[in-house]
Amino acid sequence: QESYGEGLFTTVSNLASEADEAFRVSPVGVKYMPVDYDVEEVRAKIQRVMSMNSKIIFLVFTPDQGAQFWPVASEEGLLSTSYQIVGSEALPLSTGPEYLPLGYMWFSPVSRGELFAGFDTMWKSMSADDVVGASASTYYGLDKFKVSLQDGDAALPTSADFESTDALELEVPFLFDAVYSFVFACNGLMNAGTSATDIKEDLLRDQMKTVNFEGITGFVKFDDMGDRLASYKIQNIQAQSGSSGRRLAPSDVVIVTAAVFDAAEQDPEDSIKI
């Protein structure tokens, strides 16, 4: 079992049930195979999906599994014009550029909002010394870690890492706004007279749910469960002008944003923009 796919499928199934549309979602599971990928088992699962006569296929894999899935899916005809394939955010074009056909769509979290430009400027003004240098170590207490940075598994940052934000992982801007969410929550409680030593557990959790602000990833707001109201793009592979064919070389395609869904939008009619 693979928790990412299981969890996302469960969520989709629950939403379908709430809308009295449970019959529209039929699962076909492929076990997680980080080593010894069983092509024939995957082939059998693809054939089962095709025998169900479903025309819209929602694929939920981790990137490493997706990269091994695409060539088998291509051989079996799952990537033909008979099906609309929609992938999760873990399955962008880069996981199978030589296999993914025109029309393939996937969800992409909006991780760079209008304020990201300011973060980009700040990031490129920094150097490794600002993060792990002697002054930073003293200021942030880095020398007090139980496991020193030098002995940790993660590589130490270098000044080259701050030359551009292009290589930042998708999660980094979200981590930045996550920290600010705690800052806003703590600030609100302290302004209300709460002692810093009392800011914890249920009190902090409930305050976090009230936080909303414009972050570098866009507007940050949480639901009653404490989950962030996310914003997603639906990306679509289309042909460059003058190109033709069902499957083109990566240089002959463009990625077009077909729609944007923003769960934090106040007006439900404005939550989806096409």
Side-chain angles (χ1 to χ4, degrees):
Q1 299 295 317
E2 186 267 304
S3 58
Y4 169 75
E6 290 286 323
L8 190 50
F9 172 75
T10 299
T11 298
V12 172
S13 296
N14 290 342
L15 290 173
S17 296
E18 291 173 8
D20 294 325
E21 301 277 345
F23 66 93
R24 296 188 181 278
V25 180
S26 301
V28 174
V30 178
K31 70 181 181 181
Y32 183 55
M33 296 178 280
V35 294
D36 298 327
Y37 196 76
D38 190 335
V39 171
E40 294 311 312
E41 177 176 336
V42 173
R43 193 184 309 279
K45 294 298 180 67
I46 291 174
Q47 292 171 353
R48 179 181 170 190
V49 168
M50 296 173 71
S51 70
M52 296 166 66
N53 293 321
S54 297
K55 299 304 179 185
I56 299 178
I57 312 297
F58 182 34
L59 295 177
V60 185
F61 294 121
T62 52
D64 64 312
Q65 299 296 286
Q68 299 182 86
F69 176 84
W70 296 128
V72 188
S74 180
E75 291 174 4
E76 292 301 313
L78 187 64
L79 305 183
S80 70
T81 55
S82 298
Y83 305 94
Q84 174 60 63
I85 309 297
V86 181
S88 69
E89 78 277 6
L91 297 174
L93 174 61
S94 59
T95 60
E98 67 270 46
Y99 297 105
L100 295 179
L102 296 179
Y104 172 72
M105 297 192 292
W106 72 96
F107 293 88
S108 177
V110 175
S111 62
R112 303 191 176 197
E114 294 181 2
L115 297 184
F116 188 84
F119 173 81
D120 180 78
T121 299
M122 179 195 72
W123 182 267
K124 289 187 289 190
S125 71
M126 297 170 62
S127 69
D129 281 344
D130 295 318
V131 181
V132 293
S135 296
S137 181
T138 300
Y139 185 81
Y140 296 114
L142 302 182
D143 54 341
K144 295 181 173 60
F145 285 8
K146 289 184 178 180
V147 177
S148 69
L149 293 178
Q150 289 75 15
D151 294 334
D153 293 333
L156 292 177
T158 67
S159 291
D161 294 328
F162 296 94
E163 293 177 358
S164 171
T165 57
D166 293 343
L168 289 180
E169 297 288 343
L170 176 69
E171 296 84 1
V172 170
F174 291 111
L175 291 172
F176 185 89
D177 279 349
V179 172
Y180 260 90
S181 297
F182 278 100
V183 171
F184 277 110
C186 293
N187 185 64
L189 288 169
M190 294 179 73
N191 284 338
T194 305
S195 169
T197 58
D198 293 329
I199 299 177
K200 57 185 177 181
E201 300 173 348
D202 292 350
L203 180 64
L204 178 56
R205 180 200 63 198
D206 292 341
Q207 182 69 16
M208 284 287 293
K209 294 178 183 179
T210 70
V211 167
N212 62 85
F213 64 97
E214 191 68 37
I216 66 171
T217 60
F219 189 67
V220 178
K221 188 177 180 181
F222 301 91
D223 65 15
D224 293 338
M225 297 295 292
D227 292 323
R228 179 175 173 179
L229 297 173
S231 178
Y232 283 87
K233 296 178 183 178
I234 298 180
Q235 307 286 52
N236 182 219
I237 299 178
Q238 296 184 14
Q240 291 267 24
S241 178
S243 300
S244 61
R246 172 66 172 165
R247 189 173 291 106
L248 302 173
S251 58
D252 292 328
V253 302
V254 291
I255 299 173
V256 176
T257 298
V260 177
F261 170 75
D262 186 357
E265 181 64 53
Q266 296 296 322
D267 187 343
E269 293 187 0
D270 292 333
S271 61
I272 299 178
K273 298 180 175 63
I274 300 177

